[in-house]
Amino acid sequence: MTIYVWGYLREYEKERADILDAVDKVFGSGLLVWGPSVGEFERDFAAYHGVPHCAAVDNGTNALVLALRALGVGPGDEVVTVSNTAAPTVIAIDTVGATPVFVDVHPGTYLMDVAQVESVITERTRCLLPVHLYGQCVDMAPLEALAAKHDLVILEDCAQSHGARHKGRIAGSMGQAGAFSFYPTKVLGAYGHGGATITADPEIDRELRRLRYYGMEESRYYVVQTPGQNSRLDEVHAEILRRKLGRLDDYIAARRLAADRYAGALAGTDVVTPVLAPGNDHVYYVYVVRHPRRDKIIERMKAYDISLNISYPWPVHTMTGFAHLGYAKGSLPVTEEVADEIFSLPMYPSVLGEDQEKVIDALREILATL
Ligand SMILES: *Cc1c(COP(=O)(O)O)cnc(C)c1O
């Protein structure tokens, strides 16, 4: 059986009774949308993060879109983020009519180089959008200082960092809002699409709730206050997510063990393993390593029935769809250099054991004859 960078079937085997019970509970309840599970999940997810509010939505991209809108970010505004991210980070900024502004990434962590942020701030800058990429957090203190100095809001993209901590604080609780995805591959994944935004600000939460429900107040049906969209989370996904949330810390612990195993096995080779930034507790959404002959390694792994991938092979500013932003090749040198050399090893809680040993053995054989 092919080993992919991500798979959920072993996990499903283990949790099947609980998942099917969740499905049966919702399907037999008579309430497929707007039932109790969404509210219960929101309460539990907010509590997990120690914040008062959570609004569940249909996916992570819309969690970002609605959060930006609820924060008042729109046409004419600039949002500072990175090009080394999943395209939806930037799509969300584009969707609300704002302009993405990129800074380069740090050569060790591949996360936002916060030292560069102040140099791109203009009077149109409205929002800083750090992406806690791969499972660890961006250095937040410098961003918080800049936000205070220039009167900006901070929206955290937490799609890859459920449960990650930075100097003791949990991802999503540090900015005005934190947006999450529950796409199946994520650290907390649904059996389909899902997303959520958390915030400590009741006004932001209220606006989020309106915007995900066509723009209508939940208590006043059929009256639109702010034109919004339909971005509600389905009951069945909420119920599954609510149950999986109780196991999130176990998933993270397994990912950390797998990461330790990889780091130990690759010590002494010329594969560069993930660098943990000071004060960070990593959750290893993906296990990103670096090697100058990356393409060759990926190609040769196929002979072992192991299919690797790259997060991400094309920085967003080099994509044709964002050519209008005017970032020439070479404008974000670290981002571009890193994109040519990184690749991801299989990472999911149940990779531990048989799957991971196969990956490590194959990789060692390839490295010995590269
Ligand atoms: C997955 C992801 C998203 C988008 O989430 P979807 O649920 O797929 O819409 C946004 N940002 C980052 C960094 C992601 O990894």
Side-chain angles (χ1 to χ4, degrees):
M1 214 171 69
T2 308
I3 297 174
Y4 295 94
V5 279
W6 178 81
Y8 75 97
L9 287 175
R10 278 184 208 274
E11 181 183 295
Y12 179 56
E13 226 171 276
K14 227 166 84 184
E15 301 183 358
R16 190 166 181 267
D18 188 45
I19 301 296
L20 293 182
D21 184 65
V23 171
D24 190 51
K25 180 184 160 188
V26 172
F27 286 8
S29 75
L31 294 166
L32 300 173
V33 177
W34 233 227
S37 294
V38 168
E40 284 166 16
F41 171 67
E42 288 174 338
R43 268 195 301 282
D44 292 354
F45 198 68
Y48 181 86
H49 292 88
V51 298
H53 305 289
C54 168
V57 294
D58 52 350
N59 60 61
T61 309
N62 282 332
L64 288 164
V65 167
L66 299 188
L68 286 167
R69 288 192 62 189
L71 290 167
V73 179
D77 294 332
E78 291 176 353
V79 178
V80 181
T81 191
V82 285
S83 176
N84 181 39
T85 183
T89 308
V90 186
I91 291 292
I93 298 167
D94 186 71
T95 298
V96 303
T99 303
V101 173
F102 300 120
V103 292
D104 213 341
V105 293
H106 189 276
T109 60
Y110 320 140
L111 300 178
M112 176 184 266
D113 184 352
V114 294
Q116 297 187 20
V117 172
E118 186 153 35
S119 69
V120 300
I121 289 176
T122 70
E123 64 267 26
R124 288 157 63 145
T125 308
R126 175 84 192 99
C127 175
L128 306 179
L129 206 168
V131 183
H132 303 316
L133 201 70
Y134 306 147
Q136 71 170 325
C137 294
V138 172
D139 187 12
M140 292 299 287
L143 296 184
E144 289 165 313
L146 286 175
K149 183 173 163 193
H150 298 277
D151 193 23
L152 312 172
V153 292
I154 298 178
L155 170 60
E156 302 172 65
D157 184 337
C158 306
Q160 305 193 358
S161 56
H162 313 67
R165 284 180 183 271
H166 175 67
K167 299 183 175 151
R169 296 192 292 169
I170 194 161
S173 70
M174 298 178 276
Q176 271 65 47
F180 292 82
S181 164
F182 306 120
Y183 185 75
T185 64
K186 309 290 182 178
V187 178
L188 179 61
Y191 279 68
H193 289 286
T197 300
I198 62 172
T199 181
D201 185 329
E203 278 315 307
I204 294 171
D205 183 63
R206 191 156 172 227
E207 184 64 6
L208 277 165
R209 287 168 183 281
R210 274 192 215 115
L211 289 170
R212 72 169 179 189
Y213 184 43
Y214 314 114
M216 302 193 292
E217 207 66 62
E218 283 169 21
S219 56
R220 290 190 62 208
Y221 300 116
Y222 309 126
V223 182
V224 170
Q225 273 84 18
T226 324
Q229 62 190 53
N230 177 11
S231 278
R232 285 170 288 181
L233 181 68
D234 291 315
E235 278 287 288
V236 70
H237 297 313
E239 184 59 27
I240 290 171
L241 283 166
R242 193 181 69 77
R243 293 169 186 229
K244 288 190 69 176
L245 178 59
R247 299 188 281 269
L248 176 55
D249 290 341
D250 296 334
Y251 300 144
I252 293 170
R255 285 171 179 273
R256 285 191 181 131
L257 278 178
D260 286 349
R261 176 81 188 91
Y262 276 136
L266 294 171
T269 73
D270 54 356
V271 173
V272 181
T273 54
V275 172
L276 191 64
N280 270 353
D281 293 327
H282 207 310
V283 295
Y284 298 101
Y285 165 60
V286 279
Y287 193 82
V288 173
V289 296
R290 181 171 181 174
H291 193 282
R293 303 190 67 193
R294 179 255 329 256
D295 294 339
K296 187 106 198 150
I297 295 173
I298 293 177
E299 188 51 41
R300 288 190 52 190
M301 287 291 267
K302 289 180 188 159
Y304 296 85
D305 222 0
I306 297 167
S307 170
L308 303 181
N309 80 352
I310 302 166
S311 301
Y312 295 91
W314 300 287
V316 177
H317 74 281
T318 66
M319 297 177 181
T320 47
F322 290 106
H324 63 277
L325 295 175
Y327 287 85
K329 199 152 171 50
S331 56
L332 299 168
V334 181
T335 298
E336 292 168 33
E337 195 185 296
V338 159
D340 286 337
E341 296 194 351
I342 53 174
F343 62 110
S344 308
L345 300 181
M347 177 55 87
Y348 38 92
S350 56
V351 78
L352 271 172
E354 204 184 306
D355 286 359
Q356 191 175 26
E357 293 315 311
K358 277 190 199 154
V359 173
I360 288 170
D361 290 347
L363 199 52
R364 278 192 177 137
E365 275 183 38
I366 292 166
L367 289 171
T369 57
L370 201 61

